[in-house]
Amino acid sequence: MVRFVTPLALAALSATAFAAQKCSTSSQCTDETYPCCSQYGECGTGAYCLGGCDPLSSYSLDSCAPMPVCEEKTYTWENLDNAVSQDKYLGNASKADWTYSGKPKTEDGNLIMTMPKNSVGTLFANNHYIWYGKISGKIKSSRGKGVVTAFILLSDVKDEIDYEWVGADLTNVQTNYYWQGVLDWHNSGNISVDGGDTFNDWHTYEIDWTPEKVDWIVDGSVQRTLKKADTYNETSKQYQFPQTPSRLQMSLWPAGQASNAQGTIDWAGGAIDWNSEDIQSKGYDYATVGEVSVKCYDAPSDVKKTGDKSYLYTNSAAMESDVAITGNDTVLGSLGATGLDMDLGANTSSTSATTSAANSIPTTNGGSGGMSNSNSSSSADSSSSTGTTTSSGSESTTSSGFSQGTDVTKDNGAASQTEHVLRGSLFAVLVAIVGLVTL
């Protein structure tokens, strides 16, 4: 049943500063006026309710807008006509395939994800969700200590399958997966890239994701396989396997930034050099993306289907069986609208989609990779899986360090999401950022 919010939600479109409520799976948004928990862990409206909106941390499951279904397509980069900045996107994936933040550019038919000095880099997120399928990207990673490139699938409930390149190690690519943000120290694994240099040489990276398994494929060769059958947890009686609709996200971000937690900096190979060779010669660190393709697989045979337009969570367990395919619209009427009232502000001139507001377009201070923090602390072994830098010990996260925004420990005794991010990836949680923010 759709609930309607008060017109006070239109205040989301003002430029007035808004002290956003923090949110997590253990502390959901409590104000029906600002019901959507963004992947930053803050409550709001508009863009907070679109890609990355966590239904488990929001006011209710239907606070987030429905997710656009998978679209099979190959992307090239003659220009950025198929991409819009986050402040201009209201959920119409048929008009914009990608949402971005930062200062991306195209050059010689490729996408250049840039990270100028003292910035938080670039994020490119596909607006069509994938519920099993195959993604492929022709990529040259960034380089340098503290600089990280990512190519991942991430769901709104934090199921994740990823590739990440640490710029201090140009011979390997890191792979990982997560289920609902739960950390398992054994999930990560490195793939050695033939020919070495991931910065100067093109390589094709693929994720082949089915209900039964995940394959990580580099240059046409399967390098790692995860079987769903091997993820069963006897304590929770669940398969802790990525299984919910996910967005393809590509990013370049400063994991080695001084304001980040020391464990994150160590994982990234050390402190970032803001006077690197590339910043001096080009004005920015960068990663290069060539052709990207998405192939959609069939949804599970027992899925509840009432349409073909959008995915929707039907239960807070957020497992595969708790996702339906519906005919529900995915487009918000304004930046003041939410899943509770999709049309709010649609016919009001003051609700321009280009109007920026603190509680309608998620932002970051640049130090947290896009995530807010909730004054939590954790103790974790921060050993780098790249072998470039290793350290261990206790760390206390602050508002300038990484935090998932949902400090939850699952029944399997796994470490909290805050601890997980200190190790490196729950990636993009990492970098759903709006614009470049100078430190």
Side-chain angles (χ1 to χ4, degrees):
M1 178 177 71
V2 176
R3 294 183 291 276
F4 292 89
V5 299
T6 169
L8 288 176
L10 294 176
L13 300 166
S14 72
T16 304
F18 173 74
Q21 176 197 338
K22 305 298 183 182
C23 48
S24 69
T25 53
S26 60
S27 181
Q28 291 82 5
C29 298
T30 57
D31 188 342
E32 193 173 1
T33 305
Y34 305 105
C36 299
C37 185
S38 76
Q39 68 182 42
Y40 309 105
E42 293 184 337
C43 303
T45 67
Y48 282 65
C49 306
L50 298 173
C53 179
D54 185 347
L56 306 185
S57 302
S58 296
Y59 179 80
S60 59
L61 281 180
D62 53 351
S63 296
C64 301
M67 303 165 277
V69 296
C70 189
E71 180 175 82
E72 195 159 304
K73 197 168 184 177
T74 296
Y75 301 97
T76 54
W77 310 103
E78 286 73 28
N79 51 56
L80 295 178
D81 290 351
N82 64 344
V84 296
S85 59
Q86 191 173 8
D87 61 325
K88 294 180 174 65
Y89 180 67
L90 289 175
N92 190 343
S94 65
K95 289 188 176 180
D97 292 312
W98 302 87
T99 304
Y100 69 85
S101 57
K103 293 185 177 179
K105 57 185 287 188
T106 57
E107 186 177 280
D108 300 327
N110 300 312
L111 171 66
I112 310 297
M113 296 191 294
T114 72
M115 187 166 64
K117 185 175 182 178
N118 294 333
S119 77
V120 289
T122 295
L123 170 73
F124 246 75
N126 197 280
N127 294 325
H128 306 274
Y129 282 71
I130 301 166
W131 198 17
Y132 302 119
K134 187 175 186 178
I135 62 170
S136 174
K138 188 178 177 182
I139 297 170
K140 290 182 179 180
S141 74
S142 56
R143 64 178 172 180
K145 293 188 299 182
V147 182
V148 174
T149 312
F151 182 75
I152 75 158
L153 288 172
L154 181 69
S155 84
D156 292 348
V157 297
K158 308 301 187 291
D159 286 348
E160 178 182 338
I161 307 168
D162 66 58
Y163 283 107
E164 287 187 300
W165 296 261
V166 173
D169 178 7
L170 301 181
T171 62
N172 294 286
V173 59
Q174 297 186 21
T175 66
N176 224 325
Y177 74 93
Y178 302 94
W179 170 81
Q180 295 192 9
V182 174
L183 171 65
D184 184 330
W185 301 116
H186 303 98
N187 287 355
S188 62
N190 280 10
I191 293 174
S192 178
V193 179
D194 289 343
D197 197 333
T198 62
F199 173 79
N200 287 301
D201 300 329
W202 287 109
H203 295 279
T204 300
Y205 303 89
E206 297 173 286
I207 296 173
D208 193 358
W209 177 37
T210 72
E212 292 78 33
K213 67 181 178 70
V214 176
D215 285 330
W216 286 264
I217 305 167
V218 179
D219 293 332
S221 177
V222 176
Q223 296 293 319
R224 181 183 179 187
T225 297
L226 167 71
K227 295 181 180 178
K228 180 179 181 178
D230 294 334
T231 68
Y232 189 72
N233 185 277
E234 290 289 350
T235 302
S236 64
K237 306 299 181 185
Q238 293 172 311
Y239 287 98
Q240 297 186 337
F241 177 82
Q243 58 195 274
T244 51
S246 301
R247 292 188 302 156
L248 167 58
Q249 299 192 49
M250 307 182 294
S251 74
L252 176 63
W253 60 283
Q257 187 168 267
S259 57
N260 286 344
Q262 189 60 47
T264 303
I265 296 172
D266 292 341
W267 165 76
I272 194 169
D273 178 7
W274 287 120
N275 291 304
S276 67
E277 174 185 348
D278 294 322
I279 287 178
Q280 290 186 46
S281 63
K282 291 181 173 292
Y284 49 75
D285 286 314
Y286 65 97
T288 310
V289 180
E291 183 176 282
V292 172
S293 66
V294 174
K295 182 177 182 179
C296 307
Y297 293 160
D298 291 338
S301 58
D302 58 349
V303 65
K304 181 180 179 181
K305 188 172 183 179
T306 58
D308 59 5
K309 186 180 291 186
S310 58
Y311 303 122
L312 204 63
Y313 286 97
T314 61
N315 188 286
S316 60
M319 303 293 282
E320 178 186 89
S321 59
D322 301 310
V323 179
I325 303 177
T326 76
N328 294 12
D329 199 3
T330 64
V331 184
L332 299 177
S334 73
L335 286 175
T338 72
L340 305 181
D341 186 354
M342 300 281 289
D343 298 323
L344 182 67
N347 300 316
T348 304
S349 60
S350 63
T351 57
S352 166
T354 61
T355 302
S356 176
N359 61 336
S360 61
I361 304 169
T363 58
T364 180
N365 64 7
S368 62
M371 289 308 302
S372 64
N373 203 339
S374 54
N375 296 324
S376 58
S377 62
S378 64
S379 178
D381 172 11
S382 304
S383 302
S384 168
S385 59
T386 66
T388 54
T389 305
T390 303
S391 71
S392 61
S394 298
E395 299 166 11
S396 178
T397 61
T398 68
S399 60
S400 61
F402 280 108
S403 172
Q404 194 55 27
T406 49
D407 194 13
V408 179
T409 301
K410 300 289 184 177
D411 291 341
N412 68 342
S416 71
Q417 294 182 30
T418 300
E419 291 176 296
H420 158 60
V421 176
L422 288 173
R423 287 291 296 260
S425 163
L426 189 42
F427 149 76
V429 228
L430 295 177
V431 199
I433 45 182
V434 178
L436 293 174
V437 181
T438 302
L439 293 178

